[in-house]
Amino acid sequence: MTTRFNNLLSIRPEILSAKIHKGTSADEAFQNKTLRPIIKLQHDLLIAVFNNYIVKHKNVFFDLNLDQQLNYISNAIQKDIKFRNSLKGMVIGQFTVEEYERYIQNSSALNKRMMNIVKERLIQSVQLFSSPKSQ
């Protein structure tokens, strides 16, 4: 019988550059073994969610220059608590029970790592946010 644990782990992409060494801290190991693969797996969903966020906020994102758009992404993640919690839920929902138990031991630091990775993925994908004017 297949378990949720096996199913979750089997669909995660492997990230070869996310190495874990002897001197790697527990938080960094969790980041590389759990957070990065989950966030990569959820990439398309994160893009769709941020596109929806832009629309719900009256498309002002599209009137901004590139630097302002990058700041907009950062501010949305840092200052909009509901949006931030939604993003966290998309990642935490992909944890195994064991990963969740590890996460709750230091959730504050791990949340910071998680949101930084999500922010960087959105920033690196800024070209994917298409203006409704160009559609």
Side-chain angles (χ1 to χ4, degrees), residues 71-109:
N71 284 332
Y72 186 96
I73 292 169
S74 292
N75 286 333
I77 292 172
Q78 292 170 357
K79 296 181 179 170
D80 188 330
I81 302 304
K82 285 174 72 175
F83 181 62
R84 181 182 178 94
N85 287 340
S86 178
L87 294 172
K88 282 193 286 190
M90 290 175 218
V91 175
I92 294 168
Q94 294 293 319
F95 287 177
T96 65
V97 173
E98 293 81 5
E99 289 167 337
Y100 180 73
E101 288 168 353
R102 163 70 184 96
Y103 163 80
I104 59 176
Q105 293 172 8
N106 196 11
S107 62
S108 182

Side-chain angles (χ1 to χ4, degrees), residues 5-22:
F5 175 89
N6 291 333
N7 288 338
L8 287 172
L9 295 182
S10 72
I11 63 171
R12 288 187 192 163
E14 186 177 343
I15 302 177
L16 299 175
S17 63
K19 305 234 187 268
I20 300 170
H21 306 286
K22 248 184 190 175

Side-chain angles (χ1 to χ4, degrees), residues 25-37:
S25 71
D27 286 353
E28 188 175 353
F30 187 83
Q31 170 185 292
N32 290 339
K33 185 176 176 228
T34 303
L35 295 178
R36 287 189 184 282

